[in-house]
Amino acid sequence: MKMLITGGAGFIGGNFVHYTVKNHPEYEITVLDALTYAGGIETLEPVADKFTFFQGDICDHELVDKLVSENDIVVHFAAESHNDNSLRDPWPFIQTNLIGTATILEAVRKHDKRLHHISTDEVYGDLELNDPAKFTETTPYNASSPYSSTKAGSDLLVKAWVRSFNINATISNCSNNYGPYQHIEKFIPRQITNILSDIKPKLYGTGEQVRDWIHVDDHNSAVHAILEKGKAGELYLIGADGEKDNKYIIETLLELMGKDKNDYEHVNDRPGHDQRYAIDATKLRTQLGWTPKYTNLREGLQATIDWYTENQEWWKAEKAKVEAAYAEKGQ
Ligand code: NAD
Ligand code: TDX
């Protein structure tokens, strides 16, 4: 089976390449990635001889058409992925997440290939903090930010191409991922690398907002379960019951790194900040028999701390630039 992976030099796509090389040698892998600020070929260095790489844009019709025609299956991770960036400048989000996904859909339709579209739980908006409700596959779309609205739009494009053109596609909407190779603009690696750089961790607002954390390998094992057993046209929620508020995460990171757990600062809140995300993954668990492996968050965070500590050359050059952009917003 020939598999085209878009966004394979980013955080989740990169871990997906590693995971697939290790656990699914039956796939012959091609990666298409524009290597934006968020992508790095170094992420794929440990598996460098196991795939073919194309540097290019998913909005490039000709390139996408050619690569889709040459493969059996497309796993589509490529996206602009950071909420805070989408508040600074939404245009790259509109371009990549909407136009890019439409470009892939048209190639998939033309060449009659299988597509799996990677999406997020943020398409559902947010939940109340003290509400037992969780997102399910039937929760109405209600996205809040430019990022999440373009992801919601990309999902709707996939759904429309399934219904109108009967393409063979599935969608998954996952909760917040953590693990190695995540860009240091994101919450957990930003705080780990702050502590390693003698900068105080930064908590937005009160820090009471809740995210439903899942290890990136559990996300990727779920994607493989969907590729193997998922039904065409279906959408699956991916989550591992990892709800924690941001304050808990920052305190735990400080504690695991041997610091005073109160040694962080509150900074400006994110405008329109989603309060809580929570996934009910019953469909994935019962219909596809998937279970997560990384159920101990503290152990997963410790392994992630170890990775950033041991791989400082992977992130160090970016640190000052990332912090300067946050500082402009008082964050
Ligand atoms: P990321 O920002 O780390 O990586 C995105 C990758 O896509 C980068 O390698 C980048 O170079 C590439 N890319 C961006 N624009 C491109 C374009 N126009 N053409 C080709 N390549 C392009 O993102 P991530 O966190 O790995 O997220 C991957 C996917 O998973 C996204 O679709 C995101 O919406 C989704 N998702 C992420 C999370 C999370 O917690 N990070 C959770 C659920 C879903
Ligand atoms: O420095 C920070 N301090 C802070 O308190 C940063 C960067 C974030 N936060 C808060 C904001 C959020 O409540 O931490 C939480 C997590 O923030 P992010 O890492 O930016 O993630 P989030 O906005 O929840 O979105 C992530 O999960 C869903 C991914 O970036 C998305 O791509 C994915 O769709």
Side-chain angles (χ1 to χ4, degrees):
M1 285 287 271
K2 291 183 162 189
M3 177 188 275
L4 175 64
I5 302 174
T6 73
F11 164 46
I12 306 175
N15 277 287
F16 185 78
V17 175
H18 286 248
Y19 186 93
T20 305
V21 166
K22 187 166 165 214
N23 300 295
H24 294 276
E26 68 274 21
Y27 288 109
E28 192 182 316
I29 299 171
T30 298
V31 172
L32 169 61
D33 196 296
L35 300 182
T36 68
Y37 82 94
I41 199 69
E42 309 75 33
T43 292
L44 298 174
E45 212 265 317
V47 289
D49 56 339
K50 304 284 193 218
F51 65 93
T52 309
F53 183 73
F54 285 85
Q55 181 171 3
D57 194 323
I58 55 165
C59 302
D60 178 338
H61 288 253
E62 240 171 78
L63 178 61
V64 167
D65 188 81
K66 173 185 161 331
L67 293 178
V68 169
S69 75
E70 292 169 355
N71 283 276
D72 302 304
I73 180 162
V74 182
V75 187
H76 174 35
F77 291 91
E80 284 292 337
S81 68
H82 192 37
N83 276 299
D84 291 320
N85 293 344
S86 81
L87 297 165
R88 292 186 192 114
D89 178 10
W91 287 109
F93 291 75
I94 292 163
Q95 181 67 19
T96 290
N97 300 358
L98 292 170
I99 307 291
T101 301
T103 307
I104 286 166
L105 282 167
E106 277 298 80
V108 163
R109 171 161 84 107
K110 181 171 161 195
H111 299 291
D112 194 18
K113 304 291 181 171
R114 163 98 162 86
L115 170 69
H116 182 70
H117 175 63
I118 303 291
S119 193
T120 169
D121 59 358
E122 295 193 22
V123 300
Y124 300 115
D126 61 353
L127 298 159
E128 298 289 330
L129 283 181
N130 295 313
D131 178 355
K134 296 185 176 200
F135 299 134
T136 71
E137 284 77 6
T138 57
T139 303
Y141 277 38
N142 186 28
S144 316
S145 74
Y147 161 67
S148 53
S149 62
T150 56
K151 290 299 291 185
S154 70
D155 290 14
L156 294 178
L157 289 171
V158 177
K159 285 167 184 254
W161 261 244
V162 166
R163 173 142 177 181
S164 305
F165 305 124
N166 205 23
I167 66 162
N168 179 3
T170 41
I171 301 176
S172 55
N173 298 76
C174 188
S175 60
N176 284 61
N177 286 218
Y178 73 95
Y181 300 108
Q182 185 168 30
H183 195 281
I184 57 167
E185 67 192 354
K186 303 292 189 335
F187 180 51
I188 288 176
R190 183 182 182 205
Q191 313 316 331
I192 294 172
T193 57
N194 276 347
I195 298 167
L196 290 172
S197 310
D198 286 325
I199 300 170
K200 275 190 201 287
K202 312 281 190 240
L203 192 62
Y204 290 177
T206 59
E208 64 191 344
Q209 290 77 16
V210 171
R211 297 294 181 263
D212 189 354
W213 294 100
I214 181 172
H215 191 279
V216 63
D217 281 352
D218 281 334
H219 181 178
N220 285 331
S221 71
V223 172
H224 271 288
I226 296 167
L227 292 177
E228 279 151 37
K229 296 178 254 173
K231 262 179 62 188
E234 292 284 310
L235 178 147
Y236 298 88
L237 260 53
I238 304 175
D241 299 321
E243 277 188 76
K244 291 287 176 226
D245 65 37
N246 295 336
K247 187 165 175 288
Y248 169 89
I249 297 287
I250 238 170
E251 289 177 356
T252 305
L253 291 174
L254 278 160
E255 191 197 319
L256 291 172
M257 294 177 78
K259 307 285 180 192
D260 173 354
K261 78 180 178 59
N262 298 308
D263 196 16
Y264 62 87
E265 59 190 25
H266 291 272
V267 293
N268 288 342
D269 206 352
R270 174 183 285 172
H273 201 170
D274 277 343
Q275 292 302 300
R276 174 174 159 252
Y277 306 139
I279 292 273
D280 177 349
T282 304
K283 178 177 175 182
L284 182 70
R285 285 174 183 265
T286 55
Q287 291 187 9
L288 306 190
W290 172 85
T291 47
K293 255 173 71 180
Y294 297 83
T295 45
N296 185 322
L297 182 61
R298 279 176 72 90
E299 279 175 25
L301 290 176
Q302 183 63 62
T304 307
I305 291 167
D306 293 346
W307 190 86
Y308 282 91
T309 307
E310 286 156 19
N311 291 278
Q312 303 208 12
E313 76 291 349
W314 185 85
W315 56 268
K316 206 128 211 182
E318 289 294 306
K319 185 66 182 166
K321 199 166 73 195
V322 170
E323 289 308 312
Y326 276 122
E328 273 181 31
K329 299 269 176 199
Q331 292 182 320

